[in-house]
Structures are given as structure tokens and as C-alpha cells.
Amino acid sequence: MIIDNRGLEPPKPMMRTLKALDKMNSGESLTIINDRRPMFLYEELNERGYLHETEPQEDGSFKIIITKTGD
């Protein structure tokens, strides 16, 4: 699943992302695209033990791949 959060003001991208993750099963991945690095989201993902990888994009946005671990 891919969620494009570009153009949204905080905290909407984080809320949309966490809502989607809550519906996913352990081991599934979610890709989000944000206008900026989601620093507060990183803290939440680390707290929950989710794996994440950030790839800066040529247009200045960031693609973040999140893998849900545990449940």
C-alpha cells in the first residue's frame, strides 16, 4: 500500500500513516510519500518497534517504507 501525504499539513500525514498501520498485519509494509522528513513519526515508529527506511526523492520529497513488526 502507498499513501501520498504530500501537500498535507502536520499532523495529518502522521495520523493517516498510523491509522493505516493499525489496520495492517505484522510483516506487512506500507510506503508513504511526505513533503518533509517525518521526525515525530520516526519517534513513534521506533517506540512501536517498526522498521523504517527513508529514501530522499529527486523532487525533494521523502519516500518512507515502514514494515510493521509485532502486534
Side-chain angles (χ1 to χ4, degrees):
M1 177 190 312
I2 297 176
I3 296 178
D4 188 344
N5 288 321
R6 290 176 288 188
L8 301 176
E9 291 298 317
K12 192 147 187 145
M14 183 168 162
M15 292 169 55
R16 290 178 76 196
T17 301
L18 293 175
K19 185 175 181 180
L21 286 168
D22 286 343
K23 295 178 182 177
M24 294 171 50
N25 295 317
S26 182
E28 292 183 327
S29 292
L30 169 69
T31 299
I32 63 171
I33 303 170
N34 285 17
D35 290 320
R36 56 187 73 81
R37 283 187 189 271
M39 302 312 290
F40 293 111
L41 177 62
Y42 291 148
E43 291 175 24
E44 187 69 30
L45 296 175
N46 290 337
E47 218 172 85
R48 295 181 183 206
Y50 297 168
L51 304 174
H52 54 89
E53 180 181 333
T54 301
E55 300 174 6
Q57 303 298 294
E58 287 184 17
D59 67 358
S61 65
F62 294 89
K63 179 168 86 171
I64 300 98
I65 303 165
I66 305 163
T67 302
K68 185 171 182 177
T69 56
D71 261 340

